[in-house]
Amino acid sequence: ASAALLSGCTKSNIVSPDSGKIEGDGQPDTEVNKDISIDWEEVRSDLEEQYLEPYGPFADYVMDLNVAYDDASGVLTVLLPVTRKTTSDVAVVYAQDVLGTIGESVSTQNFYYTAPEENEDGYTTNYGSFFNEHDVKVQVFPYDKEGDESAYLVNDTIKAGDVRAVEPVQ
């Protein structure tokens, strides 16, 4: 009786549909979907994991961080409050590294976007293909000076498609 019961469960409609016809062309869908929305909370979590750890590469400077994407304008805003001992040179390297990490995180979520290319100096001008289609505003400032743009170390907007280094405030 057990054998009869089990033998009745071996028919699969997935492999052999009842109609005997396979729907579609039988090939897997390998198209990359550009319209997969990015989970910016996950990107922020990736950034926190990378930069807010006590022994991260910029641990002496990082106070907090945030990313916000505006669907209407297509602009990504990256806010990077730092300690007062942060210099403009460190702020630029930190901002570029963060942009590269964002590009990596975005490409992991949506394969339409390619990951950034890292060289021996880190992510210096290529932050990933997400930035080929989206503007990014990067602001690095002392943690107690948010909103006081005269105190910002970096307040730079990189237009979509520009492949260049982050520039400090002059």
Side-chain angles (χ1 to χ4, degrees):
S2 296
L5 245 176
L6 289 175
S7 66
C9 297
T10 59
K11 185 168 188 314
S12 170
N13 284 336
I14 296 171
V15 177
S16 309
D18 285 335
S19 68
K21 295 181 183 176
I22 297 174
E23 295 180 22
D25 60 4
Q27 298 299 313
D29 181 10
T30 57
E31 290 296 314
V32 176
N33 185 355
K34 177 183 177 180
D35 297 327
I36 295 172
S37 61
I38 303 300
D39 180 350
W40 291 104
E41 284 302 313
E42 185 176 326
V43 172
R44 186 179 195 292
S45 177
D46 290 347
L47 291 172
E48 287 175 348
E49 195 173 292
Q50 175 83 16
Y51 299 103
L52 293 181
E53 293 295 318
Y55 303 107
F58 298 95
D60 292 342
Y61 308 102
V62 178
M63 294 298 292
D64 198 4
L65 49 80
N66 197 17
V67 292
Y69 181 73
D70 182 359
D71 283 323
S73 66
V75 175
L76 177 67
T77 302
V78 181
L79 302 175
L80 303 170
V82 294
T83 62
R84 289 181 162 274
K85 67 180 176 180
T86 307
T87 64
S88 289
D89 292 342
V90 169
V92 165
V93 172
Y94 172 47
Q96 291 177 165
D97 203 69
V98 167
L99 290 179
T101 302
I102 291 169
E104 189 80 38
S105 183
V106 166
S107 72
T108 301
Q109 289 186 41
N110 185 337
F111 296 135
Y112 171 78
Y113 298 110
T114 57
E117 297 169 15
E118 188 172 6
N119 62 27
E120 64 276 355
D121 299 324
Y123 307 112
T124 53
T125 57
N126 179 341
Y127 313 113
S129 68
F130 175 81
F131 298 104
N132 292 342
E133 300 177 13
H134 303 275
D135 294 352
V136 61
K137 182 176 186 173
V138 185
Q139 296 179 320
V140 183
F141 49 88
Y143 66 94
D144 58 348
K145 299 288 186 181
E146 184 171 4
D148 179 4
E149 292 190 12
S150 66
Y152 282 23
L153 301 167
V154 172
N155 190 8
D156 192 7
T157 299
I158 300 175
K159 295 293 184 186
D162 282 356
V163 179
R164 65 172 179 83
V166 172
E167 295 176 3
V169 171
Q170 298 300 330

